[in-house]
mmCIF file of all heavy atoms in Angstrom:
data_model
loop_
_atom_site.group_PDB
_atom_site.id
_atom_site.type_symbol
_atom_site.label_atom_id
_atom_site.label_comp_id
_atom_site.label_asym_id
_atom_site.label_seq_id
_atom_site.Cartn_x
_atom_site.Cartn_y
_atom_site.Cartn_z
ATOM 1 N N ARG A 18 173.236 85.435 110.204
ATOM 2 C CA ARG A 18 173.318 84.910 111.564
ATOM 3 C C ARG A 18 174.140 85.863 112.414
ATOM 4 O O ARG A 18 175.010 86.567 111.899
ATOM 5 C CB ARG A 18 173.971 83.514 111.571
ATOM 6 C CG ARG A 18 173.204 82.497 110.750
ATOM 7 C CD ARG A 18 173.904 81.148 110.692
ATOM 8 N NE ARG A 18 175.204 81.290 110.053
ATOM 9 C CZ ARG A 18 176.201 80.392 110.161
ATOM 10 N NH1 ARG A 18 176.031 79.295 110.871
ATOM 11 N NH2 ARG A 18 177.345 80.581 109.546
ATOM 12 N N VAL A 19 173.844 85.865 113.713
ATOM 13 C CA VAL A 19 174.542 86.796 114.603
ATOM 14 C C VAL A 19 174.803 86.128 115.952
ATOM 15 O O VAL A 19 173.938 85.435 116.500
ATOM 16 C CB VAL A 19 173.721 88.110 114.792
ATOM 17 C CG1 VAL A 19 172.344 87.841 115.357
ATOM 18 C CG2 VAL A 19 174.484 89.110 115.651
ATOM 19 N N ALA A 20 176.012 86.320 116.462
ATOM 20 C CA ALA A 20 176.341 85.914 117.828
ATOM 21 C C ALA A 20 176.049 87.087 118.750
ATOM 22 O O ALA A 20 176.461 88.201 118.471
ATOM 23 C CB ALA A 20 177.802 85.508 117.923
ATOM 24 N N LEU A 21 175.322 86.824 119.809
ATOM 25 C CA LEU A 21 175.009 87.839 120.826
ATOM 26 C C LEU A 21 175.797 87.463 122.074
ATOM 27 O O LEU A 21 175.536 86.409 122.674
ATOM 28 C CB LEU A 21 173.517 87.899 121.105
ATOM 29 C CG LEU A 21 173.085 88.803 122.246
ATOM 30 C CD1 LEU A 21 173.496 90.252 121.992
ATOM 31 C CD2 LEU A 21 171.580 88.696 122.466
ATOM 32 N N LEU A 22 176.733 88.322 122.475
ATOM 33 C CA LEU A 22 177.685 87.947 123.508
ATOM 34 C C LEU A 22 177.884 89.058 124.528
ATOM 35 O O LEU A 22 177.938 90.246 124.177
ATOM 36 C CB LEU A 22 179.049 87.633 122.873
ATOM 37 C CG LEU A 22 179.043 86.578 121.769
ATOM 38 C CD1 LEU A 22 180.374 86.552 121.062
ATOM 39 C CD2 LEU A 22 178.686 85.208 122.342
ATOM 40 N N ALA A 23 178.023 88.664 125.785
ATOM 41 C CA ALA A 23 178.465 89.593 126.812
ATOM 42 C C ALA A 23 179.945 89.865 126.598
ATOM 43 O O ALA A 23 180.672 89.038 126.037
ATOM 44 C CB ALA A 23 178.241 88.983 128.201
ATOM 45 N N ALA A 24 180.407 91.007 127.049
ATOM 46 C CA ALA A 24 181.807 91.383 126.860
ATOM 47 C C ALA A 24 182.681 90.960 128.039
ATOM 48 O O ALA A 24 183.792 91.448 128.182
ATOM 49 C CB ALA A 24 181.909 92.895 126.655
ATOM 50 N N ASP A 25 182.180 90.035 128.868
ATOM 51 C CA ASP A 25 182.956 89.653 130.067
ATOM 52 C C ASP A 25 183.101 88.135 130.189
ATOM 53 O O ASP A 25 183.016 87.577 131.270
ATOM 54 C CB ASP A 25 182.308 90.237 131.317
ATOM 55 C CG ASP A 25 180.905 89.692 131.592
ATOM 56 O OD1 ASP A 25 180.308 89.050 130.688
ATOM 57 O OD2 ASP A 25 180.408 89.889 132.712
ATOM 58 N N LEU A 26 183.333 87.468 129.062
ATOM 59 C CA LEU A 26 183.438 86.005 129.019
ATOM 60 C C LEU A 26 184.870 85.599 128.686
ATOM 61 O O LEU A 26 185.187 85.310 127.534
ATOM 62 C CB LEU A 26 182.469 85.437 127.980
ATOM 63 C CG LEU A 26 180.986 85.785 128.168
ATOM 64 C CD1 LEU A 26 180.180 85.416 126.924
ATOM 65 C CD2 LEU A 26 180.439 85.057 129.394
ATOM 66 N N PRO A 27 185.771 85.547 129.656
ATOM 67 C CA PRO A 27 187.187 85.352 129.350
ATOM 68 C C PRO A 27 187.534 83.983 128.777
ATOM 69 O O PRO A 27 188.596 83.832 128.163
ATOM 70 C CB PRO A 27 187.885 85.564 130.694
ATOM 71 C CG PRO A 27 186.841 85.253 131.713
ATOM 72 C CD PRO A 27 185.546 85.719 131.100
ATOM 73 N N PHE A 28 186.671 82.996 128.962
ATOM 74 C CA PHE A 28 187.019 81.642 128.526
ATOM 75 C C PHE A 28 186.214 81.172 127.312
ATOM 76 O O PHE A 28 186.286 80.005 126.926
ATOM 77 C CB PHE A 28 186.860 80.663 129.690
ATOM 78 C CG PHE A 28 187.638 81.087 130.908
ATOM 79 C CD1 PHE A 28 187.029 81.193 132.146
ATOM 80 C CD2 PHE A 28 188.986 81.433 130.805
ATOM 81 C CE1 PHE A 28 187.743 81.610 133.265
ATOM 82 C CE2 PHE A 28 189.697 81.848 131.918
ATOM 83 C CZ PHE A 28 189.089 81.936 133.157
ATOM 84 N N LEU A 29 185.448 82.071 126.709
ATOM 85 C CA LEU A 29 184.746 81.745 125.469
ATOM 86 C C LEU A 29 185.775 81.634 124.351
ATOM 87 O O LEU A 29 186.695 82.448 124.261
ATOM 88 C CB LEU A 29 183.726 82.843 125.162
ATOM 89 C CG LEU A 29 182.774 82.559 123.996
ATOM 90 C CD1 LEU A 29 181.789 81.460 124.379
ATOM 91 C CD2 LEU A 29 182.019 83.825 123.616
ATOM 92 N N ARG A 30 185.616 80.629 123.494
ATOM 93 C CA ARG A 30 186.565 80.387 122.417
ATOM 94 C C ARG A 30 185.827 80.210 121.087
ATOM 95 O O ARG A 30 184.629 79.921 121.065
ATOM 96 C CB ARG A 30 187.398 79.123 122.713
ATOM 97 C CG ARG A 30 188.233 79.217 123.977
ATOM 98 C CD ARG A 30 189.365 80.232 123.815
ATOM 99 N NE ARG A 30 190.185 80.359 125.014
ATOM 100 C CZ ARG A 30 190.079 81.343 125.904
ATOM 101 N NH1 ARG A 30 189.170 82.276 125.747
ATOM 102 N NH2 ARG A 30 190.878 81.399 126.952
ATOM 103 N N PRO A 31 186.545 80.333 119.951
ATOM 104 C CA PRO A 31 185.906 80.144 118.655
ATOM 105 C C PRO A 31 185.198 78.798 118.515
ATOM 106 O O PRO A 31 184.135 78.725 117.888
ATOM 107 C CB PRO A 31 187.090 80.253 117.674
ATOM 108 C CG PRO A 31 188.061 81.159 118.358
ATOM 109 C CD PRO A 31 187.948 80.783 119.816
ATOM 110 N N ALA A 32 185.728 77.747 119.116
ATOM 111 C CA ALA A 32 185.087 76.429 119.016
ATOM 112 C C ALA A 32 183.705 76.424 119.667
ATOM 113 O O ALA A 32 182.803 75.725 119.204
ATOM 114 C CB ALA A 32 185.973 75.360 119.655
ATOM 115 N N HIS A 33 183.536 77.198 120.735
ATOM 116 C CA HIS A 33 182.224 77.277 121.392
ATOM 117 C C HIS A 33 181.209 77.947 120.469
ATOM 118 O O HIS A 33 180.065 77.507 120.345
ATOM 119 C CB HIS A 33 182.326 78.040 122.719
ATOM 120 C CG HIS A 33 183.310 77.445 123.669
ATOM 121 N ND1 HIS A 33 184.228 78.208 124.336
ATOM 122 C CD2 HIS A 33 183.518 76.166 124.057
ATOM 123 C CE1 HIS A 33 184.981 77.425 125.103
ATOM 124 N NE2 HIS A 33 184.567 76.183 124.945
ATOM 125 N N LEU A 34 181.637 79.024 119.823
ATOM 126 C CA LEU A 34 180.735 79.702 118.891
ATOM 127 C C LEU A 34 180.450 78.829 117.670
ATOM 128 O O LEU A 34 179.327 78.825 117.153
ATOM 129 C CB LEU A 34 181.320 81.048 118.463
ATOM 130 C CG LEU A 34 181.343 82.120 119.546
ATOM 131 C CD1 LEU A 34 181.905 83.420 119.007
ATOM 132 C CD2 LEU A 34 179.978 82.352 120.153
ATOM 133 N N ALA A 35 181.439 78.069 117.233
ATOM 134 C CA ALA A 35 181.215 77.156 116.105
ATOM 135 C C ALA A 35 180.141 76.131 116.464
ATOM 136 O O ALA A 35 179.293 75.793 115.627
ATOM 137 C CB ALA A 35 182.514 76.448 115.731
ATOM 138 N N ARG A 36 180.150 75.681 117.691
ATOM 139 C CA ARG A 36 179.128 74.714 118.128
ATOM 140 C C ARG A 36 177.737 75.371 118.126
ATOM 141 O O ARG A 36 176.748 74.764 117.679
ATOM 142 C CB ARG A 36 179.485 74.190 119.523
ATOM 143 C CG ARG A 36 178.513 73.235 120.107
ATOM 144 C CD ARG A 36 178.534 71.872 119.413
ATOM 145 N NE ARG A 36 177.460 71.045 119.919
ATOM 146 C CZ ARG A 36 177.542 70.282 121.006
ATOM 147 N NH1 ARG A 36 178.669 70.242 121.692
ATOM 148 N NH2 ARG A 36 176.517 69.575 121.399
ATOM 149 N N LEU A 37 177.650 76.591 118.621
ATOM 150 C CA LEU A 37 176.368 77.299 118.624
ATOM 151 C C LEU A 37 175.890 77.574 117.200
ATOM 152 O O LEU A 37 174.718 77.355 116.878
ATOM 153 C CB LEU A 37 176.505 78.621 119.392
ATOM 154 C CG LEU A 37 176.663 78.501 120.914
ATOM 155 C CD1 LEU A 37 177.114 79.821 121.502
ATOM 156 C CD2 LEU A 37 175.366 78.038 121.566
ATOM 157 N N LEU A 38 176.782 78.040 116.353
ATOM 158 C CA LEU A 38 176.410 78.307 114.966
ATOM 159 C C LEU A 38 175.989 77.030 114.249
ATOM 160 O O LEU A 38 175.066 77.035 113.442
ATOM 161 C CB LEU A 38 177.564 78.990 114.227
ATOM 162 C CG LEU A 38 177.855 80.426 114.650
ATOM 163 C CD1 LEU A 38 179.256 80.845 114.233
ATOM 164 C CD2 LEU A 38 176.805 81.384 114.088
ATOM 165 N N GLY A 39 176.652 75.936 114.558
ATOM 166 C CA GLY A 39 176.298 74.651 113.970
ATOM 167 C C GLY A 39 174.902 74.204 114.325
ATOM 168 O O GLY A 39 174.248 73.485 113.560
ATOM 169 N N ALA A 40 174.430 74.620 115.486
ATOM 170 C CA ALA A 40 173.078 74.251 115.934
ATOM 171 C C ALA A 40 172.002 74.983 115.144
ATOM 172 O O ALA A 40 170.821 74.642 115.255
ATOM 173 C CB ALA A 40 172.923 74.516 117.426
ATOM 174 N N LEU A 41 172.397 75.982 114.351
ATOM 175 C CA LEU A 41 171.409 76.744 113.575
ATOM 176 C C LEU A 41 171.087 76.087 112.243
ATOM 177 O O LEU A 41 170.381 76.670 111.427
ATOM 178 C CB LEU A 41 171.908 78.175 113.342
ATOM 179 C CG LEU A 41 172.102 79.025 114.595
ATOM 180 C CD1 LEU A 41 172.499 80.446 114.211
ATOM 181 C CD2 LEU A 41 170.854 79.045 115.448
ATOM 182 N N THR A 42 171.570 74.864 112.021
ATOM 183 C CA THR A 42 171.239 74.176 110.775
ATOM 184 C C THR A 42 169.815 73.618 110.810
ATOM 185 O O THR A 42 169.235 73.359 109.769
ATOM 186 C CB THR A 42 172.226 73.028 110.509
ATOM 187 O OG1 THR A 42 172.199 72.128 111.622
ATOM 188 C CG2 THR A 42 173.630 73.566 110.313
ATOM 189 N N GLY A 43 169.270 73.430 111.989
ATOM 190 C CA GLY A 43 167.892 72.930 112.124
ATOM 191 C C GLY A 43 166.897 74.072 112.096
ATOM 192 O O GLY A 43 167.207 75.194 111.709
ATOM 193 N N PRO A 44 165.680 73.787 112.563
ATOM 194 C CA PRO A 44 164.608 74.797 112.488
ATOM 195 C C PRO A 44 164.670 75.875 113.564
ATOM 196 O O PRO A 44 164.009 76.901 113.445
ATOM 197 C CB PRO A 44 163.336 73.965 112.639
ATOM 198 C CG PRO A 44 163.761 72.781 113.457
ATOM 199 C CD PRO A 44 165.177 72.485 113.036
ATOM 200 N N ALA A 45 165.447 75.671 114.636
ATOM 201 C CA ALA A 45 165.457 76.642 115.734
ATOM 202 C C ALA A 45 166.008 77.982 115.266
ATOM 203 O O ALA A 45 166.960 78.036 114.490
ATOM 204 C CB ALA A 45 166.280 76.123 116.902
ATOM 205 N N PRO A 46 165.431 79.088 115.761
ATOM 206 C CA PRO A 46 165.920 80.410 115.365
ATOM 207 C C PRO A 46 167.188 80.832 116.082
ATOM 208 O O PRO A 46 167.787 81.843 115.752
ATOM 209 C CB PRO A 46 164.762 81.337 115.723
ATOM 210 C CG PRO A 46 164.109 80.661 116.881
ATOM 211 C CD PRO A 46 164.243 79.187 116.615
ATOM 212 N N GLY A 47 167.593 80.055 117.089
ATOM 213 C CA GLY A 47 168.776 80.431 117.849
ATOM 214 C C GLY A 47 169.299 79.261 118.640
ATOM 215 O O GLY A 47 168.679 78.186 118.686
ATOM 216 N N ALA A 48 170.456 79.474 119.258
ATOM 217 C CA ALA A 48 171.070 78.476 120.124
ATOM 218 C C ALA A 48 171.794 79.217 121.239
ATOM 219 O O ALA A 48 172.498 80.187 120.970
ATOM 220 C CB ALA A 48 172.050 77.605 119.350
ATOM 221 N N VAL A 49 171.591 78.784 122.476
ATOM 222 C CA VAL A 49 172.241 79.419 123.615
ATOM 223 C C VAL A 49 172.990 78.381 124.440
ATOM 224 O O VAL A 49 172.585 77.217 124.507
ATOM 225 C CB VAL A 49 171.239 80.172 124.539
ATOM 226 C CG1 VAL A 49 170.593 81.333 123.804
ATOM 227 C CG2 VAL A 49 170.193 79.236 125.102
ATOM 228 N N LEU A 50 174.095 78.831 125.032
ATOM 229 C CA LEU A 50 174.811 77.962 125.960
ATOM 230 C C LEU A 50 173.976 77.776 127.223
ATOM 231 O O LEU A 50 173.282 78.685 127.669
ATOM 232 C CB LEU A 50 176.153 78.585 126.353
ATOM 233 C CG LEU A 50 177.289 78.482 125.353
ATOM 234 C CD1 LEU A 50 178.552 79.114 125.939
ATOM 235 C CD2 LEU A 50 177.562 77.044 124.953
ATOM 236 N N VAL A 51 174.066 76.578 127.770
ATOM 237 C CA VAL A 51 173.421 76.244 129.035
ATOM 238 C C VAL A 51 174.538 75.932 130.023
ATOM 239 O O VAL A 51 175.430 75.126 129.720
ATOM 240 C CB VAL A 51 172.492 75.027 128.875
ATOM 241 C CG1 VAL A 51 171.877 74.637 130.207
ATOM 242 C CG2 VAL A 51 171.410 75.322 127.853
ATOM 243 N N ASP A 52 174.517 76.572 131.177
ATOM 244 C CA ASP A 52 175.613 76.350 132.119
ATOM 245 C C ASP A 52 175.449 75.025 132.863
ATOM 246 O O ASP A 52 174.482 74.276 132.645
ATOM 247 C CB ASP A 52 175.777 77.539 133.071
ATOM 248 C CG ASP A 52 174.649 77.700 134.085
ATOM 249 O OD1 ASP A 52 173.877 76.746 134.315
ATOM 250 O OD2 ASP A 52 174.541 78.797 134.655
ATOM 251 N N ASP A 53 176.373 74.733 133.748
ATOM 252 C CA ASP A 53 176.377 73.446 134.427
ATOM 253 C C ASP A 53 175.269 73.314 135.460
ATOM 254 O O ASP A 53 175.072 72.236 136.021
ATOM 255 C CB ASP A 53 177.741 73.156 135.056
ATOM 256 C CG ASP A 53 178.234 74.259 135.975
ATOM 257 O OD1 ASP A 53 177.563 75.321 136.052
ATOM 258 O OD2 ASP A 53 179.282 74.089 136.598
ATOM 259 N N THR A 54 174.496 74.368 135.692
ATOM 260 C CA THR A 54 173.320 74.265 136.563
ATOM 261 C C THR A 54 172.033 74.177 135.752
ATOM 262 O O THR A 54 170.943 74.152 136.303
ATOM 263 C CB THR A 54 173.228 75.487 137.521
ATOM 264 O OG1 THR A 54 172.932 76.664 136.758
ATOM 265 C CG2 THR A 54 174.513 75.673 138.299
ATOM 266 N N GLY A 55 172.162 74.174 134.411
ATOM 267 C CA GLY A 55 170.993 74.092 133.538
ATOM 268 C C GLY A 55 170.374 75.424 133.185
ATOM 269 O O GLY A 55 169.290 75.483 132.604
ATOM 270 N N ARG A 56 171.064 76.515 133.522
ATOM 271 C CA ARG A 56 170.523 77.847 133.268
ATOM 272 C C ARG A 56 170.949 78.351 131.892
ATOM 273 O O ARG A 56 172.117 78.253 131.516
ATOM 274 C CB ARG A 56 171.006 78.812 134.343
ATOM 275 C CG ARG A 56 170.177 80.082 134.427
ATOM 276 C CD ARG A 56 170.612 80.921 135.581
ATOM 277 N NE ARG A 56 171.783 81.682 135.171
ATOM 278 C CZ ARG A 56 172.486 82.459 135.973
ATOM 279 N NH1 ARG A 56 172.168 82.549 137.229
ATOM 280 N NH2 ARG A 56 173.522 83.115 135.526
ATOM 281 N N ASP A 57 169.991 78.902 131.143
ATOM 282 C CA ASP A 57 170.277 79.466 129.832
ATOM 283 C C ASP A 57 171.118 80.728 129.980
ATOM 284 O O ASP A 57 170.833 81.583 130.817
ATOM 285 C CB ASP A 57 168.973 79.824 129.100
ATOM 286 C CG ASP A 57 168.092 78.615 128.849
ATOM 287 O OD1 ASP A 57 168.639 77.576 128.448
ATOM 288 O OD2 ASP A 57 166.870 78.705 129.054
ATOM 289 N N GLN A 58 172.137 80.834 129.142
ATOM 290 C CA GLN A 58 173.026 81.992 129.144
ATOM 291 C C GLN A 58 172.673 82.870 127.949
ATOM 292 O O GLN A 58 173.188 82.683 126.847
ATOM 293 C CB GLN A 58 174.487 81.525 129.103
ATOM 294 C CG GLN A 58 174.890 80.702 130.302
ATOM 295 C CD GLN A 58 174.761 81.488 131.589
ATOM 296 O OE1 GLN A 58 175.359 82.566 131.735
ATOM 297 N NE2 GLN A 58 173.988 80.975 132.529
ATOM 298 N N TRP A 59 171.781 83.815 128.168
ATOM 299 C CA TRP A 59 171.235 84.613 127.070
ATOM 300 C C TRP A 59 172.272 85.479 126.379
ATOM 301 O O TRP A 59 172.078 85.898 125.240
ATOM 302 C CB TRP A 59 170.048 85.439 127.569
ATOM 303 C CG TRP A 59 168.964 84.578 128.122
ATOM 304 C CD1 TRP A 59 168.540 84.489 129.421
ATOM 305 C CD2 TRP A 59 168.166 83.623 127.384
ATOM 306 N NE1 TRP A 59 167.556 83.549 129.525
ATOM 307 C CE2 TRP A 59 167.296 83.008 128.307
ATOM 308 C CE3 TRP A 59 168.117 83.247 126.048
ATOM 309 C CZ2 TRP A 59 166.381 82.030 127.926
ATOM 310 C CZ3 TRP A 59 167.204 82.259 125.663
ATOM 311 C CH2 TRP A 59 166.356 81.669 126.600
ATOM 312 N N LEU A 60 173.376 85.755 127.040
ATOM 313 C CA LEU A 60 174.437 86.553 126.423
ATOM 314 C C LEU A 60 175.614 85.675 125.991
ATOM 315 O O LEU A 60 176.770 86.097 125.989
ATOM 316 C CB LEU A 60 174.892 87.667 127.360
ATOM 317 C CG LEU A 60 173.897 88.818 127.444
ATOM 318 C CD1 LEU A 60 174.317 89.843 128.490
ATOM 319 C CD2 LEU A 60 173.722 89.499 126.092
ATOM 320 N N ALA A 61 175.300 84.454 125.625
ATOM 321 C CA ALA A 61 176.262 83.529 125.017
ATOM 322 C C ALA A 61 175.466 82.669 124.049
ATOM 323 O O ALA A 61 175.213 81.491 124.292
ATOM 324 C CB ALA A 61 176.971 82.691 126.081
ATOM 325 N N GLY A 62 175.032 83.296 122.952
ATOM 326 C CA GLY A 62 174.194 82.578 121.998
ATOM 327 C C GLY A 62 174.374 83.073 120.579
ATOM 328 O O GLY A 62 175.018 84.103 120.333
#
């Protein structure tokens, strides 16, 4: 498994990545953060 991240996310924390990694227990090949406007954050997954 691999986290793909932008290098400019000052408020990203280990707990956020743990949540994304936890979502990989199902069939999906990946998990991405969705911001408060509903937009997929491709460099936070």
Side-chain angles (χ1 to χ4, degrees):
R18 300 176 298 162
V19 58
L21 174 60
L22 305 169
D25 64 346
L26 302 168
F28 306 127
L29 188 70
R30 298 291 179 260
H33 303 133
L34 290 181
R36 178 71 187 274
L37 289 166
L38 289 161
L41 297 184
T42 58
V49 296
L50 282 182
V51 177
D52 70 17
D53 54 354
T54 68
R56 198 174 82 185
D57 298 317
Q58 298 299 303
W59 300 113
L60 285 174

